[in-house]
Amino acid sequence: MKHLLSMEHLSTKEIYDLITTASEYKSGKRELPQFSTKYVSNLFFENSTRTKCSFEVAEQKLGLNLVNFETSTSSVQKGESLYDTCKTLESVGADLLVIRHPQIAYYKELDHLNIPIANAGDGSGQHPTQSLLDIMTIYEEYGSFKNLNVLICGDIKNSRVARSNYQSLTALGANVMFSSPKEWVDDTLEAPYVNIDDVINQVDIVMLLRVQHERHSIAGEANFAAEEYHQQYGLTQARYDKLKEEAIVMHPAPVNRDVEIKSELVEAPKSRIFKQMENGMYLRMAVVSALLQ
């Protein structure tokens, strides 16, 4: 695997290979490779906790040397382009770049780099490692994706998670549905839009999406009614109680408690939210290993 840019660039075999490797790292069935002579730099042009920290832990567990990069103290503040920043890091010896950037498909400008790139999120485009860790979490539960009913609720239009998971889960055989306010409908994705209450007792996975205030301007956002949104599109206690016994609840986080999901349900028995975070570290270990080997 030369780069990890989007789920569209991964074959089904590559997806299964990555989640198998991550699962074996997690269980201890596969020895961790060590890259003590390799250097990695994490370029995060957007704020991040889970993705950035799990990449850093994954890299350190694999013995990599971290080249510190902070946008606030870099030449980005002097107007340096993304390409020139990346080319500089390549020139001083970085073997891998992990990049999160607000520009959709920023990686198209980096064709002339000679080192691998792991996309840690490009605007509202793709978030492949999030999709892969979600896939890993689902696979742990069900062992298959065929005919699973997946409901993704919330800010579809601005969510790279929705886009990545729709493409990957559909390719793996799952049935993906969306539930969203009309302002956040994405007409470029072909999944059907449904009323959450019409299907909540039929789905195998309900995936809540964060309301992304930083990516859109909600009409009258200053008066955004969190409780109203929660009642119409969130996972309330009543909806949770209607879920099938074996159904699971997911969220890419950070969670707006009592908006996308009732606060008490974040760690409810059906919730896999923190399991997703744990799996993310192992999955990113698998991605880094695949890019460096």
Side-chain angles (χ1 to χ4, degrees):
M1 188 168 69
K2 184 178 180 181
H3 302 291
L4 177 65
L5 304 177
S6 75
M7 295 306 294
E8 295 171 293
H9 290 93
L10 288 178
S11 67
T12 299
K13 180 182 184 304
E14 287 174 319
I15 292 173
Y16 276 111
D17 285 348
L18 286 169
I19 63 174
T20 297
T21 298
S23 295
E24 291 179 352
Y25 286 163
K26 182 178 178 179
S27 66
K29 291 181 180 179
R30 183 179 301 206
E31 186 175 350
L32 298 182
Q34 292 296 299
F35 300 98
S36 59
T37 63
K38 300 288 187 180
Y39 291 81
V40 59
S41 189
N42 301 306
L43 288 70
F44 278 70
F45 294 84
E46 289 187 319
N47 294 335
S48 171
T49 300
R50 275 145 293 278
T51 304
K52 188 172 189 289
C53 291
S54 63
F55 261 116
E56 288 177 348
V57 173
E59 292 155 0
Q60 292 181 60
K61 284 180 178 288
L62 293 172
L64 279 153
N65 301 288
L66 273 61
V67 180
N68 291 328
F69 177 86
E70 296 293 339
T71 57
S72 61
T73 57
S74 75
S75 290
V76 170
Q77 300 302 318
K78 301 177 181 179
E80 184 172 62
S81 70
L82 176 62
Y83 175 79
D84 286 347
T85 296
C86 293
K87 199 67 180 176
T88 297
L89 288 163
E90 176 192 315
S91 299
V92 301
D95 298 287
L96 168 67
L97 300 179
V98 177
I99 305 174
R100 170 172 286 189
H101 198 278
Q103 180 180 331
I104 296 176
Y106 66 79
Y107 44 80
K108 291 182 179 179
E109 300 178 6
L110 306 179
D111 286 344
H112 296 294
L113 289 184
N114 299 306
I115 55 176
I117 299 167
N119 180 10
D122 59 294
S124 57
Q126 290 266 344
H127 195 350
T129 58
Q130 178 68 49
S131 183
L132 287 164
L133 72 88
D134 290 344
I135 289 169
M136 177 181 173
T137 303
I138 293 170
Y139 194 72
E140 283 184 339
E141 295 289 329
Y142 295 101
S144 174
F145 303 93
K146 189 171 179 58
N147 295 324
L148 288 178
N149 292 317
V150 182
L151 176 64
I152 303 179
C153 301
D155 192 355
I156 307 298
K157 183 177 181 179
N158 298 286
S159 174
R160 52 195 170 209
V161 175
R163 181 174 298 276
S164 298
N165 276 340
Y166 166 74
Q167 292 169 343
S168 55
L169 290 171
T170 300
L172 291 167
N175 305 312
V176 179
M177 301 168 281
F178 294 146
S179 181
S180 171
K182 64 180 184 301
E183 295 86 358
W184 299 341
V185 167
D186 186 342
D187 293 326
T188 69
L189 302 177
E190 297 181 358
Y193 281 79
V194 298
N195 184 311
I196 186 172
D197 292 311
D198 291 342
V199 299
I200 194 66
N201 62 342
Q202 304 166 32
V203 299
D204 301 293
I205 299 106
V206 57
M207 186 178 297
L208 294 314
L209 301 175
R210 182 175 64 88
V211 175
Q212 299 189 51
H213 295 288
E214 75 277 16
R215 296 200 189 280
H216 52 69
S217 177
I218 305 173
E221 185 164 342
N223 298 314
F224 176 67
E227 176 60 26
E228 181 179 345
Y229 178 90
H230 180 64
Q231 293 301 323
Q232 291 187 23
Y233 300 100
L235 188 65
T236 62
Q237 184 68 56
R239 290 184 178 123
Y240 180 89
D241 292 341
K242 292 179 182 178
L243 288 169
K244 295 193 294 186
E245 183 177 352
E246 67 275 16
I248 61 172
V249 175
M250 303 176 71
H251 192 302
V255 177
N256 292 309
R257 289 173 179 257
D258 295 318
V259 180
E260 300 102 28
I261 179 171
K262 182 177 174 64
S263 182
E264 290 81 358
L265 299 178
V266 171
E267 296 184 73
K270 291 182 172 64
S271 172
R272 299 296 182 270
I273 295 172
F274 287 100
K275 179 65 68 176
Q276 290 171 260
M277 298 178 200
E278 178 188 4
N279 286 345
M281 190 276 295
Y282 291 105
L283 188 282
R284 289 172 177 123
M285 289 171 64
V287 167
V288 169
S289 299
L291 291 172
L292 290 176
Q293 288 177 335

